[in-house]
Amino acid sequence: MQIQDLPYPDPGVPDVRSGPRFLWWLGRNQSGGQLKSLAWGLLHFVAVSTLPFCVGFAVEAVVDRSGSRLALAGGLMALAGVATAVGDTFLHRAAVTNWITAAARVQQLLARKTSRLGSVLSRRVAAGEVVSVSTGDVEKIGWFVEAVSRFTAAALTVVLVCVGLVVYQPALGLVVAVGLPVLAVAVLPLLPRATRRADFQREKAGRATELASDTVAGLRVLRGIGGEELFLDRYRHASQEVRHAAVRSARMWSLISAIQVMLPGLLLIAVVFHGVRLAREGRISVGELVTVYSSVTVLTYPLRHFEEIAMAYSFSRPSARRAARVLSLERATEAAGTRPPDLPSGDLYDPATGLLAPAARLTAVVCGDPDAAGRLAERLGGHATQDGPSVLLGGVPLDELPLDCARTAVLVQDKDPVLLSGSLRDLFDVPASGDVDTAAALAAAQCGDVLEALVQGSLDAEDPMDARITERGRSLSGGQRQRLALARSLFTDPEVLVLDEPTSAVDSHTEARIAEGLRGLRAGRTTVLFTSSPLLLDRADQVVLVHEGRAAAVGVHRELLHTEPRYRAVVTRETDEEAALSDVLTAFEKNELQEIEETA
């Protein structure tokens, strides 16, 4: 896989049973890149490690006054230098490719999981954690995946050099062969503590990121209630905790680095001390002493990769665990579907609540609990967060349809729709039936003043469709954002449109005009409207009251106001005392009327 080939046609099915298993799956799925990096790494490290032998050979040639051998040593050194440069260049290229492709695979997996889960994701995982995983965590995961091949090349090089030194000069080679493994494992007792500190730092950093994301998202509300400083103080406290955790983690890693510097120095001293004594005794030559000394010095370079792989694993393990946790989330229903991808039509029925939305009708649903209304809206769209009987569209279970087919048939607009940054034309660049044009959708949603505001904010836009929308539409009011999102949903023109409180931030006059526009534009289509607004309820073909998870009453708005106290309490916001008094007055009026009729 080359970088220019990204994204992957299919990122695969990850092993998310644990963080280490996920890392192993990533490395195994780019084995070609790993082998390429291993090959270039071996060329580079082996070429570097042959330089001491070339130097020793040159020293022996000088001692023996052999010009031909000295020329040969120079040629070998030049060849080793070229191999070192070529190996280093292509090793870096292969390593960066492995890092980017591993990170890209994780990002694709996260994007695919987010698309499949939809709004269910935000109910199970904090938005800040998803942001943290898709940004900082993917870099650390990619770092470890690419570092494995370089570490393997470095370890093989160390083994080869040790074997070569034992063969070349057994007296000193055995000292090096025994000392180097000690250097490699000397820091192992410190790694668990360093790993725990790194995990703690990542946990604190993740919480700080979540807090920052939530604070930024609700900044306007926080300013309105005067809570901005309170949350800023909380973030300052969280960031200080991250700093303290990072300092403690850095102290441990600095100790490990110091040990990695100190122990090779001690081994070098031991080699020099023992080698000088052997040279005085005539058991080794000066060239052999120089070769062994230089080899120990050069081997500190591949030994640094032992520390790097330990650090990479310590930092990537919590990141992989968090990524695996997000990727392990599943929908309550199967996304692949068992039926052919044919769009059904007909009545929309939810067996769990008994809610029936007749085809080609505008059905309003009243729930006393906004959260229950949101969950029911998701169920109607096939995004159920819990197991249960499937919603039926024309008698066809949505759970048995492929996910993309179910979402094409039923579109759900939640109470907090998102507007991505870009032009207004980009906002309407979505799959649509083609039967509703942009102008009609904008008119039905009463977006005239929204277009004027966007044009005024984009001085270089002559066409309102070229006006820019800021991130999440933050430059617009809540009502303006709601109307633009409603226009986008109307433009899509699905077979079934489910709207959850689409006008909660709109004034009553505009809401009345939206009700008329919605009814006219959706004529002949099935529309389910979750609302408690009398203006919208009065224009619905039928109204369904959902109480305690069941469809408790069905009728028209005016009828239910007089006959259903629970409905009246939700729509008119009556208190329990007011409802009781209203019931008493109604009963009294009925009795009075009955007495008058009897008297007459």
Side-chain angles (χ1 to χ4, degrees), residues 158 162 174-188 267 303 306:
V158 170
C162 288
L174 287 175
V175 176
V176 177
V178 172
L180 283 178
V182 174
L183 296 184
V185 302
V187 297
L188 289 182
L267 177 61
L303 280 175
F306 286 74

Side-chain angles (χ1 to χ4, degrees), residues 548-572:
E548 295 182 353
R550 297 295 301 175
V554 180
V556 295
H557 170 61
R558 298 178 184 271
E559 174 188 346
L560 292 176
L561 272 179
H562 293 89
T563 60
E564 181 55 62
R566 294 171 296 183
Y567 176 83
R568 183 173 60 249
V570 174
V571 174
T572 63

Side-chain angles (χ1 to χ4, degrees), residues 56-70 285-287:
F57 187 67
V59 171
E60 291 288 345
V62 172
V63 172
D64 297 338
R65 299 180 181 275
S66 174
S68 59
R69 290 168 57 192
L70 183 61
S285 64
V286 176

Side-chain angles (χ1 to χ4, degrees), residues 331 333 339 344 346-357 375-401 406 410 412 496 498 528 530:
R331 287 166 42 86
T333 57
R339 288 178 177 263
D347 297 342
L348 185 68
Y349 177 67
D350 178 25
T353 60
L355 171 64
L356 174 65
R375 291 192 294 270
L376 179 54
E378 292 175 353
R379 276 186 53 79
L380 295 179
H383 310 293
T385 58
Q386 299 175 351
D387 293 332
S390 173
V391 173
L392 307 177
L393 177 59
V396 177
L398 290 181
D399 292 353
E400 297 181 6
L401 292 173
V410 183
V412 179
V496 179
V498 180
V528 181
F530 286 82

Side-chain angles (χ1 to χ4, degrees), residues 293-312:
Y293 170 82
S294 302
S295 296
V296 175
T297 304
V298 169
L299 282 178
T300 58
Y301 171 50
L303 280 175
R304 299 295 295 179
H305 288 76
F306 286 74
E307 176 190 352
E308 182 187 2
I309 194 65
M311 183 179 294

Side-chain angles (χ1 to χ4, degrees), residues 463-515:
D463 186 348
M465 297 302 295
D466 294 327
R468 303 293 298 177
I469 299 176
T470 58
E471 180 189 2
R472 299 181 67 92
R474 297 190 189 280
S475 61
L476 302 173
S477 67
Q480 290 174 328
R481 290 196 299 271
Q482 274 192 338
R483 282 178 281 165
L484 277 181
L486 176 59
R488 179 179 57 188
S489 299
L490 294 175
F491 171 75
T492 303
D493 190 35
E495 179 69 25
V496 179
L497 177 60
V498 180
L499 302 171
D500 187 6
E501 295 289 354
T503 60
S504 58
V506 176
D507 63 85
S508 58
H509 297 288
T510 306
E511 189 175 35
R513 295 194 296 269
I514 290 175

Side-chain angles (χ1 to χ4, degrees), residues 142-431:
W143 176 29
F144 174 76
V145 172
E146 72 85 11
V148 169
S149 55
R150 290 189 291 113
F151 163 73
T152 305
L156 290 175
T157 301
V158 170
V159 173
L160 290 175
V161 172
C162 288
V163 173
L165 288 177
V166 171
V167 174
Y168 177 73
Q169 177 44 251
L172 280 179
L174 287 175
V175 176
V176 177
V178 172
L180 283 178
V182 174
L183 296 184
V185 302
V187 297
L188 289 182
L190 298 177
L191 288 180
R193 181 177 298 180
T195 302
R196 287 194 299 270
R197 292 190 179 185
D199 291 351
F200 184 74
Q201 177 195 351
R202 291 299 304 157
E203 180 183 353
K204 291 293 184 182
R207 291 179 180 176
T209 302
E210 294 173 17
L211 180 60
S213 176
D214 295 340
T215 302
V216 171
L219 194 56
R220 178 178 295 183
V221 177
L222 293 176
R223 287 174 175 170
I225 62 176
E228 181 181 4
E229 286 299 324
L230 173 62
F231 276 81
L232 287 178
D233 288 340
R234 289 183 180 177
Y235 180 72
R236 291 190 190 101
H237 179 70
S239 63
Q240 289 300 314
E241 290 184 344
V242 174
R243 184 178 67 84
H244 290 305
V247 170
R248 294 183 69 249
S249 179
R251 286 174 180 169
M252 183 57 64
W253 287 112
S254 63
L255 175 61
I256 292 175
S257 298
I259 293 175
Q260 289 285 349
V261 173
M262 180 186 68
L263 292 182
L266 295 177
L267 177 61
L268 194 61
I269 293 173
V271 168
V272 171
F273 179 80
H274 184 54
V276 169
R277 189 160 57 86
L278 292 177
R280 285 180 177 177
E281 296 174 357
R283 296 170 59 184
I284 64 172
S285 64
V286 176
E288 291 173 334
L289 176 59
V290 171
T291 298
V292 177
Y293 170 82
S294 302
S295 296
V296 175
T297 304
V298 169
L299 282 178
T300 58
Y301 171 50
L303 280 175
R304 299 295 295 179
H305 288 76
F306 286 74
E307 176 190 352
E308 182 187 2
I309 194 65
M311 183 179 294
Y313 180 72
S314 298
F315 279 92
S316 66
R317 191 182 68 171
S319 297
R321 184 173 62 245
R322 285 150 56 104
R325 188 164 72 89
V326 174
L327 293 174
S328 64
L329 299 176
E330 294 293 342
R331 287 166 42 86
T333 57
E334 177 59 40
T338 57
R339 288 178 177 263
D342 297 328
L343 291 180
S345 61
D347 297 342
L348 185 68
Y349 177 67
D350 178 25
T353 60
L355 171 64
L356 174 65
R361 303 283 296 277
L362 173 59
T363 301
V365 181
V366 175
C367 288
D369 183 2
D371 292 334
R375 291 192 294 270
L376 179 54
E378 292 175 353
R379 276 186 53 79
L380 295 179
H383 310 293
T385 58
Q386 299 175 351
D387 293 332
S390 173
V391 173
L392 307 177
L393 177 59
V396 177
L398 290 181
D399 292 353
E400 297 181 6
L401 292 173
L403 183 59
D404 56 348
C405 182
R407 288 183 174 175
T408 301
V410 183
L411 173 64
V412 179
Q413 177 183 305
D414 60 23
K415 58 172 61 70
D416 187 22
V418 175
L419 302 181
L420 301 179
S421 60
S423 67
L424 189 59
R425 196 181 309 277
D426 295 334
L427 179 68
F428 285 88
D429 186 17
V430 294

